[in-house]
Amino acid sequence: DAGVTQSPTHLIKTRGQQVTLRCSPISGHKSVSWYQQVLGQGPQFIFQYYEKEERGRGNFPDRFSARQFPNYSSELNVNALLLGDSALYLCASRLTGPTEAFFGQGTRLTVV
Amino acid sequence: GDSVTQMEGPVTLSEEAFLTINCTYTATGYPSLFWYVQYPGEGLQLLLKATKADDKGSNKGFEATYRKETTSFHLEKGSVQVSDSAVYFCALSDLRGGGADGLTFGKGTHLIIQP
């Protein structure tokens, strides 16, 4: 079975632009979460979606938004990019309950 | 809110040395605790987990015990190998604390094992 897949793997954007990152969860996993990992830090929780509904949101500005599709894949959108948005963006999928999260390889976003 | 504190790195050890990476947490509910490992250029991989007090998680020679009285989940390994060199993250998931179903991570500990 394929693991969590994310695309693209690397991305360079200019300040003020908008970006969309994509994630396909493990087959059968209905919960998808997004994390931002700044270099040298631990991942920070951005969003969690379950059954296409937002179930949780971390301490991120409204420039960050996400959605989940009927096939449980997900997109993370970031508007009006800032230099500080440069990071590795990780997607994780899991079954329900206190089960382990499986992470994708991430999308490396660089804002210049 | 929930938080995880783990020892600062880098931690440099010789091969076959004993490893301890300290992790303490603060949570409002009854968290599950995890250790994740990140090898260079790769995503996060679950190393081990414990879902209730006194549980011991173990995998690949690594162990950690959920200590509610000290709010700790220290990672240990009796004899490290060069291949264990990576960044280790302690994390919690507090599903019954009323918060989101997301993981709260520590800042990570970079482990370097020298031959």
Side-chain angles (χ1 to χ4, degrees), chain B residues 3 9 78 84 86 101-102:
Chain B
S3 66
D84 293 327
D101 183 15

Side-chain angles (χ1 to χ4, degrees), chain A residues 32-66:
Chain A
V32 171
S33 297
W34 287 94
Y35 294 82
Q36 181 195 65
Q37 186 179 15
V38 174
L39 192 63
Q41 300 292 317
Q44 297 289 315
F45 172 67
I46 309 175
F47 284 112
Q48 189 231 347
Y49 276 77
Y50 177 72
E51 288 279 17
K52 296 169 288 182
E53 292 186 1
E54 181 183 308
R55 293 300 181 95
R57 182 184 185 120
N59 188 24
F60 280 81
D62 291 342
R63 300 185 296 108
F64 289 76
S65 63

Side-chain angles (χ1 to χ4, degrees), chain A residues 12-19 63 78-82 111:
Chain A
I12 300 175
K13 289 287 190 178
T14 304
R15 277 179 297 175
Q17 285 188 315
Q18 176 264 344
V19 68
R63 300 185 296 108
V78 186
N79 292 323
L81 286 167
L82 303 174
V111 182

